[in-house]
């Protein structure tokens, strides 16, 4: 990490910032330092324009339409699927299912793969750092099916150990479902190793990619995962759109999720035939504008390039980590070797909620709370943390402003 | 520093946050309840000794932000010696004070509670300020659990 601090990054941050209209806002008369990208990222003008253009020039329902606009909309929607396929390097469009986001993607797997493949006495393996969306669907399934949720513990630095994974996997394990990058700790998990271990036991793996996709290139074939999830809104795309990638063979053998229009080939009261992939999992009118916006966001990320984004973020991570540690009584939660640009911290005697309100009035937006990872809070014996999460449009100056605001909080609370 | 922040974190509030009054579990009580704000994880437990409709003693325990702790501390000070009816009326007045811009935070009317008027500029913090009061109300009404959501 420290050798990254000397890297001059290839990013033109000023140019990038000018692509994001919202960054021009002046909350409380100050420049906006938006450091809450882990919750949701801001949208570049090209994404906003793509959604706008869709509604102005293409809006229609997709598939089965015979008129001018419907053909336009269908082409744009399926074109977006191809963009996503290329972005994740899936083998075919059949492997790309549009969903609302990571939460819906994981629920889809729990309700289809889970209900059909996981039964009494079986086990599902997750880690202690999962987001609630990768815990609760499995708990619901366990209650219904009599299976058990097993948990890979995390260390004081916020890391899992491969030995623990090895030990917890056994012949009853039917699925490993794990986060790639932790939203509350920033930890980048050795997911490839986890996948390899699971696969050596023929166990499929779901990777929660909500936080990894914004920070690093993900090639699902190279990773070899069976399922991968994307939340569009964390990747500079619109809210309410996301992706479930699934290996074709595994998706093919899964029962459908929602029943309704578009997911069928033919319906009759004597029996219904389901549509082919990926449509089998896309019942009802989808978020067409969202998919178009998401595809545009992916093109935008590609135009900047993950290498440059990663170098810039790692520079900010190292810089902010060092500066934050100069503050009296501040402790960083999550000190893994391999981290994304997410920094959680607590301050002695000052509740995160007070920190959040204070720095907000200095124009610095951070998130405070349990970040939907209550087991992580429990592990560290804290009710909540403050979290700064950095992305391509953030700067060292913004990190300085956070540190300055925190110094003021320290002074005020004594 | 931002003026509204100064209004919110007045010295009185910072002081009660650091040195909360009536903090801890009393040896005995007649009513108690647990309050929880799921949004930020604040918890407060309020203990009351009510005799003939009068709150003779009030304590609290819990963990939370400065606003919720100061609010519980000042509340337990203020309701001691008040009738249950008076305490409920105070809660109503307090609630208006922390949400309604049009109300003058007159010290003659609100006493120590007036320092919480700054909360109205921070809608996300209203629940922090009112948690202890909701919990007191729950204790009086014998509902043992309350959440602010
Ligand atoms: C690691 C992780 N998983 C899952 C989710 C849920 O994503 P969404 O709310 O987009 O469904 C989030 C979002 O906060 C997350 O950070």
């Amino acid at each position: 990490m420290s050798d990254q601090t000397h890297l001059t990054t290839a990013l033109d941050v000023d140019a990038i910032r000018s692509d994001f209209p919202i960054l021009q806002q002046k909350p409380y008369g100050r420049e906006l330092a938006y450091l809450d990208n882990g919750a949701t990222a801001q949208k570049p003008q090209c994404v906003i324009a793509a959604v706008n253009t869709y509604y102005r020039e293409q809006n229609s329902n997709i598939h089965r339409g015979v008129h001018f606009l419907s053909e336009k909309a269908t082409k744009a929607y399926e074109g977006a699927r191809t963009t996503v396929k290329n972005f994740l390097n899936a083998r075919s469009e059949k492997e790309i299912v549009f969903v609302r986001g990571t939460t819906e993607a994981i629920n889809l797997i729990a309700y289809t793969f889970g209900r059909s493949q996981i039964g009494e006495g079986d086990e599902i393996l997750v880690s202690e750092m999962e987001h609630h969306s990768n815990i609760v669907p499995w708990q619901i399934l366990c209650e219904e099916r009599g299976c058990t949720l097993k948990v890979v513990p995390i260390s004081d630095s916020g890391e899992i150990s491969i030995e623990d994974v090895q030990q917890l996997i056994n012949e009853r394990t039917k699925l490993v479902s794990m986060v790639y990058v932790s939203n509350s700790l920033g930890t980048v998990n050795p997911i490839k190793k986890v996948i390899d271990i699971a696969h050596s036991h023929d166990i499929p793996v779901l990777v929660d990619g909500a936080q990894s996709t914004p920070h690093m290139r993900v090639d699902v074939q190279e990773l070899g995962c069976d399922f991968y999830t994307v939340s569009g809104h964390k990747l500079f795309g619109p809210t309410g759109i996301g992706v479930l990638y699934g290996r074709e063979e595994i998706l093919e053998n899964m029962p459908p999720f929602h029943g309704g229009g578009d997911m069928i080939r033919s319906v009759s009261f004597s029996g219904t035939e389901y549509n082919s992939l990926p449509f089998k999992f896309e019942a009802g009118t989808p978020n067409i504008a969202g998919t178009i916006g998401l595809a545009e966001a992916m093109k935008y990320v590609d135009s900047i390039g993950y290498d440059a984004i990663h170098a810039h973020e790692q520079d900010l991570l190292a810089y902010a980590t060092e500066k934050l540690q100069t503050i009296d009584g501040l402790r960083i939660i999550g000190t893994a070797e391999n981290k994304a640009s997410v920094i959680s911290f607590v301050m002695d005697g000052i509740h995160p909620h007070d920190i959040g309100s204070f720095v907000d009035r200095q124009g610095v937006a951070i998130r405070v709370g349990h970040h939907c990872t209550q087991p992580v809070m429990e592990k560290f014996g804290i009710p909540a943390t403050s979290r700064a999460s950095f992305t391509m449009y953030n700067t060292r100056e913004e990190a300085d402003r956070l540190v300055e605001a925190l110094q003021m909080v320290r002074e005020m609370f004594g | 520093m931002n003026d509204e922040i100064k209004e919110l974190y007045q010295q009185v509030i910072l002081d009660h946050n650091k040195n909360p009054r009536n903090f801890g579990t009393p040896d005995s009580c007649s009513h108690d309840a647990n309050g929880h704000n799921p949004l930020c994880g604040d918890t407060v437990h309020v203990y009351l000794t009510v005799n003939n409709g009068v709150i003779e003693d009030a304590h609290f325990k819990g963990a939370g932000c400065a606003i919720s702790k100061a609010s519980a501390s000042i509340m337990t000070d203020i309701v001691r010696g008040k009738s249950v009816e008076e305490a409920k009326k105070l809660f109503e007045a307090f609630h208006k004070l922390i949400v309604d811009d049009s109300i003058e935070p007159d010290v003659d009317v609100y006493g120590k509670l007036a320092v919480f008027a700054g909360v109205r500029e921070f809608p996300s913090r209203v629940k922090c300020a009112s948690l202890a009061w909701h919990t007191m109300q729950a204790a009086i009404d014998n509902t043992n659990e309350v959440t602010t959501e």
Side-chain angles (χ1 to χ4, degrees), chain A residues 178-192:
Chain A
M178 201 174 284
V179 71
Y180 197 164
V181 172
S182 157
N183 65 309
S184 54
L185 298 166
T187 310
V188 180
N189 278 320
I191 205 74
K192 175 84 179 124

PDB file of all heavy atoms in Angstrom, chain A residues 178-192:
ATOM      1  N   MET A 178     -20.296 -15.194  -0.756  1.00  0.00           N
ATOM      2  CA  MET A 178     -19.360 -14.319  -0.041  1.00  0.00           C
ATOM      3  C   MET A 178     -19.159 -12.988  -0.734  1.00  0.00           C
ATOM      4  O   MET A 178     -19.210 -12.878  -1.954  1.00  0.00           O
ATOM      5  CB  MET A 178     -18.017 -15.037   0.116  1.00  0.00           C
ATOM      6  CG  MET A 178     -17.186 -14.462   1.240  1.00  0.00           C
ATOM      7  SD  MET A 178     -15.693 -15.419   1.545  1.00  0.00           S
ATOM      8  CE  MET A 178     -16.326 -16.839   2.407  1.00  0.00           C
ATOM      9  N   VAL A 179     -18.913 -11.990   0.097  1.00  0.00           N
ATOM     10  CA  VAL A 179     -18.683 -10.648  -0.421  1.00  0.00           C
ATOM     11  C   VAL A 179     -17.235 -10.555  -0.933  1.00  0.00           C
ATOM     12  O   VAL A 179     -16.318 -11.102  -0.322  1.00  0.00           O
ATOM     13  CB  VAL A 179     -18.985  -9.609   0.677  1.00  0.00           C
ATOM     14  CG1 VAL A 179     -17.943  -9.611   1.796  1.00  0.00           C
ATOM     15  CG2 VAL A 179     -19.122  -8.215   0.102  1.00  0.00           C
ATOM     16  N   TYR A 180     -17.051  -9.864  -2.043  1.00  0.00           N
ATOM     17  CA  TYR A 180     -15.713  -9.693  -2.611  1.00  0.00           C
ATOM     18  C   TYR A 180     -14.996  -8.566  -1.866  1.00  0.00           C
ATOM     19  O   TYR A 180     -13.892  -8.737  -1.345  1.00  0.00           O
ATOM     20  CB  TYR A 180     -15.846  -9.382  -4.108  1.00  0.00           C
ATOM     21  CG  TYR A 180     -14.592  -9.552  -4.947  1.00  0.00           C
ATOM     22  CD1 TYR A 180     -14.697  -9.613  -6.345  1.00  0.00           C
ATOM     23  CD2 TYR A 180     -13.331  -9.635  -4.379  1.00  0.00           C
ATOM     24  CE1 TYR A 180     -13.569  -9.768  -7.141  1.00  0.00           C
ATOM     25  CE2 TYR A 180     -12.194  -9.793  -5.168  1.00  0.00           C
ATOM     26  CZ  TYR A 180     -12.326  -9.855  -6.547  1.00  0.00           C
ATOM     27  OH  TYR A 180     -11.212  -9.998  -7.342  1.00  0.00           O
ATOM     28  N   VAL A 181     -15.697  -7.410  -1.785  1.00  0.00           N
ATOM     29  CA  VAL A 181     -15.150  -6.269  -1.038  1.00  0.00           C
ATOM     30  C   VAL A 181     -16.154  -5.871   0.038  1.00  0.00           C
ATOM     31  O   VAL A 181     -17.317  -5.638  -0.264  1.00  0.00           O
ATOM     32  CB  VAL A 181     -14.882  -5.070  -1.973  1.00  0.00           C
ATOM     33  CG1 VAL A 181     -14.500  -3.834  -1.169  1.00  0.00           C
ATOM     34  CG2 VAL A 181     -13.790  -5.405  -2.987  1.00  0.00           C
ATOM     35  N   SER A 182     -15.691  -5.809   1.274  1.00  0.00           N
ATOM     36  CA  SER A 182     -16.576  -5.469   2.387  1.00  0.00           C
ATOM     37  C   SER A 182     -16.927  -3.981   2.379  1.00  0.00           C
ATOM     38  O   SER A 182     -16.035  -3.139   2.305  1.00  0.00           O
ATOM     39  CB  SER A 182     -15.910  -5.823   3.718  1.00  0.00           C
ATOM     40  OG  SER A 182     -16.481  -5.052   4.762  1.00  0.00           O
ATOM     41  N   ASN A 183     -18.222  -3.692   2.500  1.00  0.00           N
ATOM     42  CA  ASN A 183     -18.640  -2.290   2.472  1.00  0.00           C
ATOM     43  C   ASN A 183     -18.330  -1.563   3.768  1.00  0.00           C
ATOM     44  O   ASN A 183     -18.204  -0.348   3.779  1.00  0.00           O
ATOM     45  CB  ASN A 183     -20.131  -2.174   2.160  1.00  0.00           C
ATOM     46  CG  ASN A 183     -20.984  -2.774   3.250  1.00  0.00           C
ATOM     47  OD1 ASN A 183     -20.768  -3.907   3.651  1.00  0.00           O
ATOM     48  ND2 ASN A 183     -21.941  -2.022   3.756  1.00  0.00           N
ATOM     49  N   SER A 184     -18.189  -2.278   4.880  1.00  0.00           N
ATOM     50  CA  SER A 184     -17.923  -1.575   6.134  1.00  0.00           C
ATOM     51  C   SER A 184     -16.455  -1.612   6.530  1.00  0.00           C
ATOM     52  O   SER A 184     -16.014  -0.773   7.307  1.00  0.00           O
ATOM     53  CB  SER A 184     -18.795  -2.132   7.257  1.00  0.00           C
ATOM     54  OG  SER A 184     -18.640  -3.521   7.373  1.00  0.00           O
ATOM     55  N   LEU A 185     -15.679  -2.557   6.008  1.00  0.00           N
ATOM     56  CA  LEU A 185     -14.273  -2.680   6.402  1.00  0.00           C
ATOM     57  C   LEU A 185     -13.305  -2.350   5.265  1.00  0.00           C
ATOM     58  O   LEU A 185     -12.146  -2.048   5.500  1.00  0.00           O
ATOM     59  CB  LEU A 185     -13.976  -4.114   6.869  1.00  0.00           C
ATOM     60  CG  LEU A 185     -14.754  -4.597   8.095  1.00  0.00           C
ATOM     61  CD1 LEU A 185     -14.634  -6.109   8.230  1.00  0.00           C
ATOM     62  CD2 LEU A 185     -14.253  -3.900   9.348  1.00  0.00           C
ATOM     63  N   GLY A 186     -13.800  -2.447   4.065  1.00  0.00           N
ATOM     64  CA  GLY A 186     -12.947  -2.214   2.901  1.00  0.00           C
ATOM     65  C   GLY A 186     -12.129  -3.422   2.476  1.00  0.00           C
ATOM     66  O   GLY A 186     -11.474  -3.404   1.431  1.00  0.00           O
ATOM     67  N   THR A 187     -12.163  -4.472   3.274  1.00  0.00           N
ATOM     68  CA  THR A 187     -11.387  -5.683   2.982  1.00  0.00           C
ATOM     69  C   THR A 187     -11.685  -6.237   1.589  1.00  0.00           C
ATOM     70  O   THR A 187     -12.857  -6.387   1.220  1.00  0.00           O
ATOM     71  CB  THR A 187     -11.746  -6.792   3.994  1.00  0.00           C
ATOM     72  OG1 THR A 187     -11.664  -6.252   5.306  1.00  0.00           O
ATOM     73  CG2 THR A 187     -10.848  -8.004   3.840  1.00  0.00           C
ATOM     74  N   VAL A 188     -10.631  -6.550   0.849  1.00  0.00           N
ATOM     75  CA  VAL A 188     -10.792  -7.281  -0.414  1.00  0.00           C
ATOM     76  C   VAL A 188     -10.516  -8.750  -0.100  1.00  0.00           C
ATOM     77  O   VAL A 188      -9.398  -9.108   0.269  1.00  0.00           O
ATOM     78  CB  VAL A 188      -9.819  -6.778  -1.502  1.00  0.00           C
ATOM     79  CG1 VAL A 188     -10.014  -7.561  -2.794  1.00  0.00           C
ATOM     80  CG2 VAL A 188     -10.005  -5.283  -1.741  1.00  0.00           C
ATOM     81  N   ASN A 189     -11.520  -9.568  -0.202  1.00  0.00           N
ATOM     82  CA  ASN A 189     -11.352 -10.978   0.140  1.00  0.00           C
ATOM     83  C   ASN A 189     -10.601 -11.746  -0.944  1.00  0.00           C
ATOM     84  O   ASN A 189     -10.715 -11.417  -2.128  1.00  0.00           O
ATOM     85  CB  ASN A 189     -12.730 -11.631   0.364  1.00  0.00           C
ATOM     86  CG  ASN A 189     -13.254 -11.370   1.751  1.00  0.00           C
ATOM     87  OD1 ASN A 189     -12.511 -11.393   2.726  1.00  0.00           O
ATOM     88  ND2 ASN A 189     -14.549 -11.093   1.845  1.00  0.00           N
ATOM     89  N   PRO A 190      -9.857 -12.770  -0.554  1.00  0.00           N
ATOM     90  CA  PRO A 190      -9.159 -13.618  -1.534  1.00  0.00           C
ATOM     91  C   PRO A 190     -10.179 -14.539  -2.207  1.00  0.00           C
ATOM     92  O   PRO A 190     -10.165 -15.759  -2.035  1.00  0.00           O
ATOM     93  CB  PRO A 190      -8.176 -14.411  -0.670  1.00  0.00           C
ATOM     94  CG  PRO A 190      -8.808 -14.467   0.678  1.00  0.00           C
ATOM     95  CD  PRO A 190      -9.624 -13.221   0.832  1.00  0.00           C
ATOM     96  N   ILE A 191     -11.064 -13.917  -2.986  1.00  0.00           N
ATOM     97  CA  ILE A 191     -12.258 -14.627  -3.451  1.00  0.00           C
ATOM     98  C   ILE A 191     -11.904 -15.742  -4.432  1.00  0.00           C
ATOM     99  O   ILE A 191     -12.570 -16.781  -4.475  1.00  0.00           O
ATOM    100  CB  ILE A 191     -13.280 -13.623  -4.041  1.00  0.00           C
ATOM    101  CG1 ILE A 191     -14.693 -14.180  -3.950  1.00  0.00           C
ATOM    102  CG2 ILE A 191     -12.943 -13.202  -5.441  1.00  0.00           C
ATOM    103  CD1 ILE A 191     -15.278 -14.163  -2.573  1.00  0.00           C
ATOM    104  N   LYS A 192     -10.836 -15.504  -5.203  1.00  0.00           N
ATOM    105  CA  LYS A 192     -10.439 -16.532  -6.183  1.00  0.00           C
ATOM    106  C   LYS A 192     -10.048 -17.829  -5.461  1.00  0.00           C
ATOM    107  O   LYS A 192     -10.420 -18.926  -5.883  1.00  0.00           O
ATOM    108  CB  LYS A 192      -9.264 -15.975  -7.012  1.00  0.00           C
ATOM    109  CG  LYS A 192      -8.657 -16.961  -7.981  1.00  0.00           C
ATOM    110  CD  LYS A 192      -9.435 -17.008  -9.296  1.00  0.00           C
ATOM    111  CE  LYS A 192      -8.793 -17.992 -10.259  1.00  0.00           C
ATOM    112  NZ  LYS A 192      -9.739 -19.029 -10.720  1.00  0.00           N
TER     113      LYS A 192
END
